[in-house]
Amino acid sequence: MVLDRIFSTLIGYCFGMILCGYILGRIKKVDLTKVGSGNVGTTNTLRNLGVSAGAITLLVDCLKCVFAVAVVWFVMGFRHEDPSIFMVYAGLGTVLGHDFPVYLRFKGGKGIASTLGFIIALFPFAVPIPAVIFISVVALTRYVSLGSILGILSFGIEITLFGMLGRLEYTGTQLYEVYAIVWFIVIVAISLHHANIKRLINGNENKFSFHPETRK
């Protein structure tokens, strides 16, 4: 069972390392690791490569988690009557692969879009609240980082509450595994925003704009 969890995580990690923003940047001869925030996620892609590239990156970063979960569901379905916990590990691996890709010396994105894919694939009922919080915060403040932090934090709280109320399909030790994985993803995402948090406190965080900022 432990090996199946590790295997599922590795499958997800391989999917996670498909960094669409980085690939699009290379096609356009822009190394996203050397411009803007140095991040290869959606926000830095949008700022430096434009709206179309940002939208494509968001879509791919979401879908790669969905595909990883689907692959593990198919593979583990032959070995286990209920492969749902292994699908959660696949989602974890995807986020880790996105955040810490080995071929970029473990410096990838911040995991927000891939976590959205994680939520869509595994906990679709939990999408509305983080989405509303993210959209509302960004609309009011124009700070994507603040919206991302509060949105993903609300996801962790939401899953914990649903679990305590018995609304999740996981029981026993698997439920605690889900708690651990979800909160690990939340904490990692927030920690990867440490520079943004510092800028928010200092009042000099970059505000959201649809216009490319190739020199930031």
Side-chain angles (χ1 to χ4, degrees):
M1 297 288 282
V2 173
L3 289 178
D4 286 344
R5 283 166 168 74
I6 294 173
F7 181 64
S8 299
T9 304
L10 289 175
I11 289 176
Y13 186 84
C14 291
F15 274 93
M17 287 195 295
I18 302 172
L19 301 173
C20 183
Y22 181 75
I23 294 169
L24 291 175
R26 284 301 191 180
I27 291 173
K28 295 188 176 185
K29 302 188 183 307
V30 176
D31 187 349
L32 287 179
T33 65
K34 297 180 180 178
V35 296
S37 65
N39 189 273
V40 296
T42 300
T43 303
N44 201 39
T45 301
L46 186 150
R47 285 175 171 159
N48 291 283
L49 301 181
V51 176
S52 297
I56 293 170
T57 299
L58 173 62
L59 180 62
V60 173
D61 286 350
C62 285
L63 288 180
K64 64 189 182 184
C65 192
V66 176
F67 281 119
V69 168
V71 169
V72 168
W73 170 80
F74 179 78
V75 173
M76 289 301 168
F78 290 104
R79 291 175 51 82
H80 302 275
E81 183 177 347
D82 181 9
S84 56
I85 189 63
F86 305 107
M87 295 160 64
V88 178
Y89 278 91
L92 168 64
T94 306
V95 175
L96 291 176
H98 178 85
D99 292 349
F100 309 107
V102 64
Y103 64 93
L104 287 183
R105 298 182 180 179
F106 304 102
K107 187 177 186 327
K110 295 177 181 176
I112 300 302
S114 54
T115 299
L116 175 58
F118 178 91
I119 302 172
I120 291 171
L122 297 161
F123 307 101
F125 59 84
V127 171
I129 291 177
V132 168
I133 289 175
F134 173 81
I135 293 171
S136 299
V137 171
V138 174
L140 289 171
T141 68
R142 290 177 56 205
Y143 291 132
V144 174
S145 57
L146 183 60
S148 299
I149 292 168
L150 294 179
I152 198 167
L153 183 60
S154 72
F155 167 61
I157 294 171
E158 189 178 8
I159 290 300
T160 303
L161 291 176
F162 270 97
M164 292 173 65
L165 293 172
R167 300 293 182 86
L168 298 180
E169 63 179 293
Y170 310 92
T171 58
T173 58
Q174 288 190 1
L175 178 59
Y176 292 103
E177 286 181 75
V178 170
Y179 287 157
I181 289 170
V182 166
W183 278 105
F184 177 77
I185 290 173
V186 170
I187 291 169
V188 168
I190 293 175
S191 68
L192 290 174
H193 281 82
H194 64 277
N196 304 86
I197 294 172
K198 183 177 180 180
R199 288 195 296 268
L200 284 167
I201 293 172
N202 293 333
N204 58 358
E205 171 68 320
N206 294 324
K207 291 192 173 184
F208 175 77
S209 173
F210 281 108
H211 302 290
E213 299 174 4
T214 55
R215 289 179 174 78
K216 286 190 177 183

